[in-house]
């Protein structure tokens, strides 16, 4: 090879050499970008219910005949136990209460969706033994709001479930129905919980 040809060939060798060096680095960058990442919202959202893990004394008020014009309520006293599942990405709620209308047992399985950053609340009463339609929503500024659509006495209604007034020792739950597309709401369930055990880990 002549000296002139060698001079012309050297830049090509430099280009190919750099390409060979950068190739694995680019692959490494792609591999890192494809690695699963957990967003701050996901990390925070999956712990929305950590405040409730433990045992609570529950005062429950129930409207006996929702959306009928009746204002007859019944008061019940009971206990709520909340257990963490999947390191906080789910939890199981057991409510047992007694009052003038008898004995009540309820169960709620709450599941966190890391894609939507929302929770689904899946409730079942012991008398029915099946899960109701899940209410779905999320927490914002310390308040949780969850919604779904159900059938009551043959007509479609909206359901709203609100968790509010959250403190280390108490919290409030409220359920309301609407048969006017959410324009007006009628509250039919109010539960106020007061912590029994200050150490949530002892509830496991």
């Amino acid at each position: 090879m002549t000296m002139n040809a060698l001079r012309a060939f050297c830049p090509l060798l430099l280009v190919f050499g750099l390409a060979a060096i950068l190739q694995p680095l680019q692959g490494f960058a792609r591999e890192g970008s494809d690695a699963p990442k957990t967003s701050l919202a996901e990390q925070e959202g999956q712990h929305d219910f950590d405040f409730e893990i433990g045992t609570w004394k529950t005062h429950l008020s129930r409207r006996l005949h929702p959306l009928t014009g009746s204002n007859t309520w019944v008061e019940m006293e009971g206990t709520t136990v909340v257990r963490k599942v999947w390191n906080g990405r789910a939890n199981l709620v057991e409510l047992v209460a007694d009052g003038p209308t008898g004995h009540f047992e309820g169960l709620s399985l709450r599941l966190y969706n890391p894609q939507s950053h929302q929770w689904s609340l899946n409730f079942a009463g012991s008398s029915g033994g099946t899960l109701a339609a899940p209410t779905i929503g999320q927490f914002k500024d310390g308040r949780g709001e969850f919604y779904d659509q159900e059938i009551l006495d043959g007509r479609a209604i909206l359901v709203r479930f609100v968790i509010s007034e959250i403190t280390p020792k108490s919290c409030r739950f409220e359920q309301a129905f609407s048969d006017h597309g959410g324009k007006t709401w009628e509250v039919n369930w109010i539960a106020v919980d007061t912590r029994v055990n200050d150490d949530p880990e002892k509830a496991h």
Side-chain angles (χ1 to χ4, degrees), residues 6-116:
L6 183 60
R7 289 196 186 111
F9 189 62
C10 282
L12 292 175
L13 287 176
L14 182 60
V15 170
F16 290 138
L18 286 173
I21 293 172
L22 292 175
Q23 182 77 25
L25 293 178
Q26 292 172 347
F28 179 78
R30 284 195 300 271
E31 181 180 345
S33 65
D34 291 340
K37 297 178 180 178
T38 303
S39 69
L40 181 60
E42 179 179 332
Q43 292 176 14
E44 293 178 347
Q46 72 180 26
H47 295 289
D48 283 335
F49 280 101
D50 281 5
F51 77 91
E52 202 189 356
I53 305 304
T55 302
W56 304 77
K57 178 182 176 182
T58 299
H59 177 79
L60 177 62
S61 303
R62 300 175 62 193
R63 187 189 295 268
L64 292 182
H65 308 289
L67 299 181
T68 64
S70 171
N71 196 35
T72 302
W73 289 75
V74 62
E75 307 293 317
M76 307 184 78
E77 300 291 339
T79 302
T80 298
V81 178
V82 186
R83 295 178 174 85
K84 186 184 294 188
V85 182
W86 296 343
N87 195 32
R89 289 177 290 118
N91 59 79
L92 189 65
V93 184
E94 293 180 80
L95 167 63
V96 177
D98 292 281
T101 55
H103 184 70
F104 175 82
E105 294 182 356
L107 185 76
S108 182
L109 175 63
R110 300 160 171 166
L111 303 170
Y112 181 68
N113 185 326
Q115 281 72 46
S116 66

